[in-house]
Amino acid sequence: MAPHKKPRCLKLKPITLVNYGTAVGEFEDWCRSHRKLNIIIGDVDRNLCCFITDLIEDARGINEGSYAVYGWLALKADENLPDRFLLPHAKAALNGWQSRYPGKTRVGFDLKLFDLFALRFARMGCFDAASALLLSADGYFRPSEAIGLNGLDIICPNKFTKSRIWGVITGNFDRGIATKNKSFDDTTLFNTPGREDVGTLMSWIARGKVGLDVALFPGLSLPKYEKAFNVVSKELDIKNLRITPHLARHSVASFDSLHKIRNKDEIRVRGHWKCPKSVDRYEKPGRMLIQNNRVPDRVWLLAENARAECFSILKSHYK
């Protein structure tokens, strides 16, 4: 990064800088392998469009294309123009990508599908990814929130207050890390009816880490997390469904609405959405049911007992 770019990047979260750097690095590797030159900003714009096309065809997440475009602006662009005037074709490509898959990525699938993904992660030895996914598919976490959980964020049972509930804080003020909504100390308790096993999982993860400034998932980064999803999607031959880490957040909200586990206000509070309109989509379960019908029967059969097996593997791992 050029020295004069550093002050501007101070406003970015460390995880965002890492994601930007990873995506820009992948784009530059793609350019080298395709013998594309980035001599002027117009070259970068056209090459990013081609790169985005490859991401779409490979069923990658739109956030990966977004990180490449805005990462280039933050880390590499050196033009005497505001960012809003740069890379117009690449930004239009992102808008086209978003328009091509409207809405349906915001409702998700039945949670059994994510149990199957977690099981496959555990079998692959990706225990951090499996655990982060199971927590997210109950706690409504964004991928960056789950990956960034720390021992200082853990809420554990207290024998004196007779509380038996495990939970976590996202946007922990003591760590100086705000959430995406610029809020602090958002609390998530693992006491959902029918998903009490997530509290048990949290007790395993927390061993030796409560109150310590240590990452709960030190072996997990967003690129590794997304790669694990891509690997399992390919194994199951469902890459066309575009299952991403962020989809767990929308899926659990839709699932809880459909099965009347939480009402609209409770969903908004648990997901820490500021605007009530942000959760309107979850009151319409028809889209998720249509999405479920796109999943082959053979995959649902594999998912039937996946949760129990996954928890058994994780229990052995965390012993």
Side-chain angles (χ1 to χ4, degrees):
M1 185 192 305
H4 65 278
K5 305 282 287 185
K6 291 182 179 179
R8 168 192 170 166
C9 292
L10 291 175
K11 66 179 182 180
L12 300 175
K13 293 181 180 179
I15 186 65
T16 302
L17 280 174
V18 170
N19 293 335
Y20 278 177
T22 301
V24 170
E26 183 180 356
F27 168 60
E28 291 179 321
D29 290 342
W30 179 91
C31 288
R32 282 190 287 270
S33 66
H34 289 78
R35 298 183 180 180
K36 302 280 188 181
L37 299 177
N38 293 316
I39 298 174
I40 61 175
I41 194 68
D43 295 335
V44 177
D45 197 14
R46 287 186 290 272
N47 292 339
L48 275 169
C49 289
C50 296
F51 176 65
I52 288 170
T53 300
D54 277 8
L55 292 181
I56 294 172
E57 292 176 350
D58 197 33
R60 303 276 289 276
I62 189 172
N63 58 310
E64 297 179 66
S66 181
Y67 286 145
V69 173
Y70 292 99
W72 187 275
L73 292 174
L75 306 177
K76 296 285 187 175
D78 196 20
E79 310 299 315
N80 292 321
L81 287 171
D83 285 356
R84 66 178 181 273
F85 296 123
L86 301 178
L87 306 181
H89 297 299
K91 291 174 183 175
L94 289 176
N95 288 336
W97 189 348
Q98 183 66 52
S99 298
R100 177 63 181 82
Y101 302 98
K104 60 188 180 183
T105 59
R106 298 274 182 152
V107 292
F109 298 87
D110 189 275
L111 295 185
K112 284 185 178 181
L113 185 60
F114 294 93
D115 292 341
L116 178 58
F117 270 71
L119 172 59
R120 292 299 180 102
F121 295 163
R123 286 177 177 174
M124 291 160 49
C126 300
F127 303 111
D128 284 351
S131 300
L133 177 55
L134 289 170
L135 293 187
S136 299
D138 178 62
Y140 293 48
F141 299 131
R142 299 176 180 90
S144 59
E145 292 172 342
I147 292 168
L149 288 173
N150 185 283
L152 296 174
D153 303 328
I154 298 171
I155 300 169
C156 58
N158 187 306
K159 64 181 179 180
F160 297 105
T161 62
K162 298 183 179 180
S163 170
R164 298 181 179 179
I165 301 172
W166 287 89
V168 294
I169 291 174
T170 52
N172 192 330
F173 183 82
D174 291 340
R175 295 205 290 135
I177 300 176
T179 67
K180 183 180 178 181
N181 291 333
K182 308 300 181 185
S183 63
F184 290 96
D185 295 340
D186 289 342
T187 301
T188 301
L189 301 178
F190 301 119
N191 60 347
T192 304
R195 296 199 295 267
E196 293 87 352
D197 52 4
V198 178
T200 302
L201 172 62
M202 189 69 237
S203 71
W204 301 339
I205 298 169
R207 286 174 185 164
K209 296 182 178 180
V210 177
L212 301 180
D213 188 8
V214 294
L216 298 190
F217 307 121
L220 190 61
S221 64
L222 187 57
K224 288 181 179 179
Y225 201 20
E226 290 172 336
K227 183 178 180 180
F229 269 83
N230 286 329
V231 168
V232 174
S233 293
K234 187 174 181 179
E235 286 179 354
L236 297 174
D237 195 22
I238 53 172
K239 289 194 72 174
N240 62 305
L241 298 181
R242 299 175 183 271
I243 312 295
T244 65
H246 199 87
L247 199 55
R249 170 174 166 85
H250 299 299
S251 296
V252 64
S254 296
F255 183 92
D256 284 357
S257 176
L258 174 62
H259 296 281
K260 302 189 185 306
I261 295 172
R262 290 185 171 89
N263 61 35
K264 179 179 175 180
D265 287 339
E266 290 169 337
I267 288 171
R268 184 186 65 79
V269 170
R270 190 167 182 82
H272 309 297
W273 283 284
K274 285 187 174 181
C275 178
K277 288 187 177 180
S278 297
V279 298
D280 285 349
R281 65 174 68 93
Y282 305 121
E283 291 188 306
K284 302 176 181 180
R287 173 56 62 184
M288 187 177 76
L289 296 174
I290 290 175
Q291 287 286 85
N292 288 339
N293 289 336
R294 297 178 61 209
V295 179
D297 290 347
R298 56 177 175 77
V299 174
W300 289 125
L301 288 172
L302 291 173
E304 192 62 34
N305 298 308
R307 190 176 186 88
E309 183 179 347
C310 182
F311 270 82
S312 177
I313 294 173
L314 291 177
K315 183 178 181 180
S316 298
H317 169 70
Y318 284 113
K319 273 186 176 179

